[in-house]
């Protein structure tokens, strides 16, 4: 391991002086914890403490850290090349990964567009939908808006932001430049509810009917709304959305950046409703959390109109598109996940789900707790009041675990390789942390 040239305190001081963190102010108001290394499900801090990681680094590191299979894939690929441009050139990792993605995602999806991050894959999906209608309509730009539900999260770039929840995303700050999209209330009937209620779709249906001529696509996170509030909704909602999109001639974009690759108990969340999207966005766990990588996939029905249009091509092509290192690691991650004999992700996620259900149940006894929700390897405790993060974050670390609460939510999305005794440490801490109010 390379030696450290800075003391822990120097790292903290320089960090606070110069380094901007996600959704943070500068000079940094919140003190960050410097990490020395990470292995398996543990993060080791520079002060020597180790934390059991319940976040998978924002839901990406499904196999934990420093996994030998992923490390090996990266090392081997590095010896050939870490990068070459993708314009006019191609390589084995890119085509092998595409072949694999086409195999494991819903069958209509045949074409893969690689990009660098989840937000960009959403930009690509939205541009694809717009250009599709433009090409199809002989230059007609009427279908240029997007319909979505409130409570969503699709990323931080401008077009992705425009379909995020308008309140959470503070759209009013950016209203002069933000595209105005069409919102309906978020689905109300929960995932586990036995009583599906068709009226949950009333607003969606009416709005779609009313605006069909100007809507290019519906965009949704299937089944689980992630960073917008961790709500799980009924598969019938998704199933009916698919039918209505067909009926009213609009495309369906599914954002599986958070839900993809097993997180909800099925390989993709669309499988809960047994539907096929027209465009699919993947990110986060695509590379097993090893590095930033994402993909947008689509059908031949959509891709085939691109050669006809005014541009004759799809107008997008990032510099680091199809990065060989990212492709090689993603392929290794996917192969590891799907190695049924040795890995058995389904059984792992199912075991995590059962344990979360049992061990988070006591949280309900706290008068401070509003709701407890579990689906697949996702465990959420929703409080009645928001946490004060400056107080809460050190309390979490004091428990020897790593969680990153936001708003009213304390939640875990552990790596799939987490063992029962490690997960117990997390659930026990969550029960303790939600039992009393911290000043
Ligand atoms: C994280 C996330 C994104 C954005 O991905 P980035 O890699 O952060 O740009 C988009 N959609 C969903 C559902 C996400 O969870």
């Amino acid at each position: 391991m390379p030696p450290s040239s800075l003391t822990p305190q120097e790292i903290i001081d320089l960090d606070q002086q110069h380094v901007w963190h996600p959704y943070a102010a500068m000079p940094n108001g919140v003190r960050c914890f410097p990490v020395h290394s990470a292995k398996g499900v543990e993060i080791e801090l520079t002060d020597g403490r180790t934390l059991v990681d319940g976040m998978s680094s924002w839901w990406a590191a499904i196999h934990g850290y420093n996994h030998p299979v992923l490390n090996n894939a990266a090392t081997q690929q590095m010896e050939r090349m870490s990068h070459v441009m993708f314009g006019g050139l191609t390589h084995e990792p890119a085509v092998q990964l595409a072949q694999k993605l086409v195999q494991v995602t819903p069958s209509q999806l045949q074409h893969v567009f690689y990009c660098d991050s989840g937000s960009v894959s959403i930009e690509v999906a939205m541009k694809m939908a717009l250009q599709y209608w433009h090409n199809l309509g002989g230059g007609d730009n009427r279908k240029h808006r997007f319909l979505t539900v409130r409570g969503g999260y699709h990323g931080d770039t401008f077009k992705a932001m425009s379909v995020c929840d308008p309140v959470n995303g503070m759209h009013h700050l950016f209203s002069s430049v933000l595209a105005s999209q069409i919102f309906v209330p978020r689905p109300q009937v929960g995932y586990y509810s036995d009583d599906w209620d068709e009226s949950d779709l009333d607003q969606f249906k009416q709005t779609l009917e009313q605006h069909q001529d100007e809507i290019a696509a519906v965009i949704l996170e299937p089944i689980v709304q992630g960073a917008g509030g961790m709500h799980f909704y009924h598969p019938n909602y998704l199933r009916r959305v698919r039918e209505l999109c067909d009926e009213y001639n609009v495309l369906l974009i599914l954002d599986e950046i958070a839900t993809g690759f097993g997180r909800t108990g099925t390989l993709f969340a669309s499988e809960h409703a047994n539907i096929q999207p027209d465009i699919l966005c993947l990110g986060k766990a695509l590379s097993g959390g090893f590095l930033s990588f994402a993909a947008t996939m689509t059908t031949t029905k959509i891709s085939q109109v691109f050669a006809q249009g005014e541009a004759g091509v799809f107008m997008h092509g990032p510099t680091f598109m199809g990065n060989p290192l990212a492709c090689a690691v993603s392929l290794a991650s996917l192969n590891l996940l799907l190695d049924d004999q040795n890995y058995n992700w389904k059984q792992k996620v199912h075991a995590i789900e059962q344990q979360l259900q049992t061990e988070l149940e006591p949280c309900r006894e706290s008068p401070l707790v509003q709701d407890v929700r579990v689906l697949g390897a996702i465990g959420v405790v929703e409080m009645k009041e928001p946490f004060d993060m400056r107080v809460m974050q050190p309390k979490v670390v004091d428990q020897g675990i790593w969680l990153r609460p936001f708003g009213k939510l304390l939640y875990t999305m552990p790596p799939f390789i987490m063992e029962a005794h490690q997960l117990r440490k997390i659930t026990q801490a969550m029960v303790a942390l939600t039992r009393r109010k911290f000043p």
Side-chain angles (χ1 to χ4, degrees):
M1 221 173 273
S4 305
S5 53
L6 298 176
T7 66
Q9 193 55 49
E10 284 169 339
I11 296 174
I12 292 170
D13 292 345
L14 282 168
D15 185 73
Q16 289 195 301
Q17 260 177 313
H18 299 302
V19 186
W20 218 308
H21 284 264
Y23 285 92
M26 206 71 226
N28 203 351
V30 184
R31 199 183 130 114
C32 290
F33 296 87
V35 177
H36 175 263
S37 58
K39 194 171 174 52
V41 301
E42 286 185 344
I43 294 174
E44 191 188 330
L45 301 181
T46 50
D47 64 12
R49 285 185 288 177
T50 54
L51 308 177
V52 176
D53 173 37
M55 288 297 291
S56 306
S57 282
W58 273 329
W59 333 338
I62 52 177
H63 313 299
Y65 303 96
N66 230 322
H67 198 289
V69 170
L70 273 54
N71 286 358
N72 189 43
T75 314
Q76 300 246 311
Q77 182 54 43
M78 244 170 348
E79 282 169 9
R80 290 190 181 194
M81 75 242 179
S82 68
H83 185 65
V84 288
M85 66 185 283
F86 215 45
L89 299 174
T90 193
H91 44 77
E92 191 172 321
V95 298
Q96 282 187 320
L97 177 62
Q99 184 187 34
K100 193 87 196 173
L101 287 172
V102 165
Q103 217 175 66
V104 300
T105 53
S107 59
Q108 284 180 22
L109 301 165
Q110 290 291 316
H111 311 287
V112 184
F113 190 101
Y114 293 122
C115 49
D116 321 323
S117 74
S119 300
V120 175
S121 83
I122 297 287
E123 299 286 325
V124 166
M126 294 173 83
K127 280 175 77 174
M128 232 176 228
L130 293 176
Q131 220 189 315
Y132 168 78
W133 290 114
H134 188 272
N135 290 346
L136 211 64
D140 183 358
N141 275 331
R142 263 183 319 160
K143 280 167 106 64
H144 69 283
R145 296 179 79 192
F146 293 84
L147 169 62
T148 188
V149 296
R150 287 179 180 267
Y153 179 79
H154 299 283
D156 287 346
T157 54
F158 268 110
K159 206 72 175 181
M161 227 179 107
S162 74
V163 285
C164 291
D165 186 87
V167 179
N168 291 342
M170 295 205 165
H171 279 190
H172 65 277
L173 296 180
F174 306 96
S175 58
S176 57
V177 286
L178 207 58
S180 121
Q181 312 297 9
I182 306 169
F183 291 88
V184 295
R186 71 174 174 80
Q188 293 300 312
V189 182
Y191 181 86
Y192 284 110
S193 175
D194 295 331
D195 310 311
W196 164 243
D197 181 355
E198 184 71 15
S199 71
D200 205 14
L201 271 147
D202 284 354
Q203 288 237 29
F204 181 89
K205 191 175 171 185
Q206 278 164 22
T207 310
L208 190 57
E209 194 167 8
Q210 195 185 339
H211 294 276
Q212 53 181 299
D213 294 337
E214 53 170 337
I215 296 174
V218 166
I219 178 165
L220 289 180
E221 295 158 275
I223 305 296
V224 175
Q225 294 191 286
M230 298 284 170
H231 292 286
F232 312 151
Y233 62 86
H234 202 283
N236 281 355
Y237 192 95
L238 197 56
R239 209 170 285 135
R240 291 287 292 125
V241 163
R242 175 69 275 183
E243 288 169 9
L244 291 166
C245 284
D246 288 338
E247 196 178 324
Y248 291 105
N249 199 25
V250 307
L251 301 179
L252 177 59
I253 301 171
L254 289 186
D255 176 353
E256 295 237 22
I257 292 166
T259 52
F261 305 104
R263 181 57 67 184
T264 69
T266 54
L267 196 55
F268 296 96
S270 62
E271 293 168 30
H272 291 279
N274 198 17
I275 60 149
Q276 304 238 2
D278 298 297
I279 302 176
L280 172 70
C281 295
L282 301 172
K284 290 199 162 90
L286 171 61
S287 73
F290 196 96
L291 36 64
S292 181
F293 198 47
T296 307
M297 297 181 65
T298 194
T299 64
T300 301
K301 180 190 141 197
I302 293 180
S303 65
Q304 71 185 2
V305 305
F306 281 80
Q308 306 159 14
E310 180 192 336
V313 293
F314 177 46
M315 292 298 288
H316 207 100
T319 305
F320 286 96
M321 185 168 180
N323 174 255
L325 206 51
C327 289
V329 171
S330 300
L331 182 64
S333 171
L334 199 46
N335 283 335
L336 180 65
L337 185 70
L338 300 176
D339 180 352
D340 283 338
Q341 258 92 59
N342 299 303
Y343 197 92
N344 204 345
W345 69 268
K346 235 182 192 158
Q347 194 267 324
K348 282 184 167 66
V349 171
H350 185 66
I352 291 173
E353 180 176 52
Q354 301 243 294
Q355 192 179 346
L356 287 173
Q357 264 162 359
T358 312
E359 294 179 3
L360 291 181
E361 194 57 29
C363 291
R364 287 189 204 276
E365 291 158 19
S366 166
L368 305 173
V369 168
Q370 177 72 35
D371 191 22
V372 178
R373 302 188 278 276
V374 173
L375 180 66
I378 312 173
V380 184
V381 184
E382 182 178 334
M383 308 297 285
K384 289 178 180 151
E385 303 286 336
F387 293 109
D388 179 344
M389 279 298 283
R390 269 168 312 183
V391 179
M392 193 60 179
Q393 190 69 81
K395 297 274 180 217
V396 170
V397 170
D398 287 345
Q399 301 271 341
I401 61 163
W402 180 247
L403 294 176
R404 181 83 177 150
F406 71 96
K408 297 176 182 171
L409 303 173
L410 183 67
Y411 73 99
T412 181
M413 291 210 196
F416 299 168
I417 60 158
M418 188 170 281
E419 287 171 25
H421 71 277
Q422 296 163 322
L423 187 57
R424 191 156 308 119
K425 192 164 175 177
I426 289 175
T427 55
Q428 280 174 351
M430 287 173 78
V431 172
L433 290 165
T434 52
R435 209 155 256 181
R436 67 185 203 85
K437 207 179 185 123
F438 295 103

